[in-house]
Amino acid sequence: MIRYKALGLHWREDRLLAAEVMDDIGRVKGVRPLGGTVEFGETAEAALIREFHEELGITVTPLGPPVFMENIYTYEGSPGHEIIAVFDVAFPADMFAGASRITFKEGDGTACFAEWFALDELDLPGRPLLFPSGLKAYLLKS
């Protein structure tokens, strides 16, 4: 099954807001921008706005059309396939201005954490990977 997701890129200077992605035993293996699954009958933009509202309780503003990426991966031994709409987003003025780390809950109640990462700190030995694969290369080109 191919999943359709919408992710939002929120920047603080040169740092990208990204949520922790855990491995099979609960260690941080990487990070990914916030967002989630586009539901049937929903546009990617509507899903993006809904996901940020559900996760952070805020209304984001998309700053233009999305860029689409395809992500084929293995998670916990099972193959996965996603089409991802990636948007640049703006937060409401001064939202999380003093925060370096944000705690939020997924739809199933799981506690999650997000923080701002410099791209040059990701995808290096001993540092978290940036998901989806290929996003860092795209961001460095644009």
Side-chain angles (χ1 to χ4, degrees), residues 4-5 16 18 22 24 29 31 35 54 61 65 68 87 93-94 103 114 123 127 133:
Y4 183 25
K5 298 208 171 178
L16 175 65
M22 308 306 242
D24 300 347
K29 70 175 181 179
V31 297
E54 289 173 359
T61 303
F68 289 89
F87 293 84
D94 299 323
T103 302
D123 292 345
R127 298 293 300 155
S133 180

Side-chain angles (χ1 to χ4, degrees), residues 30-82:
V31 297
R32 80 168 176 89
L34 278 69
T37 301
V38 178
E39 296 176 358
F40 183 78
E42 184 178 45
T43 66
E45 184 173 318
L48 176 80
I49 293 167
R50 175 185 50 76
E51 286 285 342
F52 272 86
H53 190 264
E54 289 173 359
E55 292 175 350
L56 300 183
I58 65 171
T59 301
V60 296
T61 303
L63 299 175
V67 170
F68 289 89
M69 301 183 75
E70 184 172 29
N71 185 29
I72 299 172
Y73 60 94
T74 301
Y75 179 71
E76 294 183 0
S78 298
H81 192 170
E82 303 171 322

Side-chain angles (χ1 to χ4, degrees), residues 2-139:
I2 299 174
R3 296 178 186 263
Y4 183 25
K5 298 208 171 178
L7 300 180
L9 305 178
H10 182 265
W11 297 91
R12 180 183 283 169
E13 298 169 8
D14 65 342
R15 300 174 83 78
L16 175 65
L17 181 64
E20 296 176 343
V21 176
M22 308 306 242
D23 66 13
D24 300 347
I25 58 173
R27 293 179 303 195
V28 175
K29 70 175 181 179
V31 297
R32 80 168 176 89
L34 278 69
T37 301
V38 178
E39 296 176 358
F40 183 78
E42 184 178 45
T43 66
E45 184 173 318
L48 176 80
I49 293 167
R50 175 185 50 76
E51 286 285 342
F52 272 86
H53 190 264
E54 289 173 359
E55 292 175 350
L56 300 183
I58 65 171
T59 301
V60 296
T61 303
L63 299 175
V67 170
F68 289 89
M69 301 183 75
E70 184 172 29
N71 185 29
I72 299 172
Y73 60 94
T74 301
Y75 179 71
E76 294 183 0
S78 298
H81 192 170
E82 303 171 322
I83 303 297
I84 305 165
V86 181
F87 293 84
D88 281 309
V89 297
F91 280 11
D94 299 323
M95 187 59 62
F96 304 113
S100 60
R101 189 168 168 89
I102 300 170
T103 302
F104 65 96
K105 291 193 182 201
E106 286 287 354
D108 65 1
T110 304
C112 298
F113 303 95
E115 60 186 83
W116 284 266
F117 292 89
L119 289 180
D120 62 2
E121 296 174 359
L122 300 170
D123 292 345
L124 298 173
R127 298 293 300 155
L129 299 172
L130 178 60
F131 298 117
S133 180
L135 179 59
K136 180 178 177 180
Y138 166 76
L139 293 172

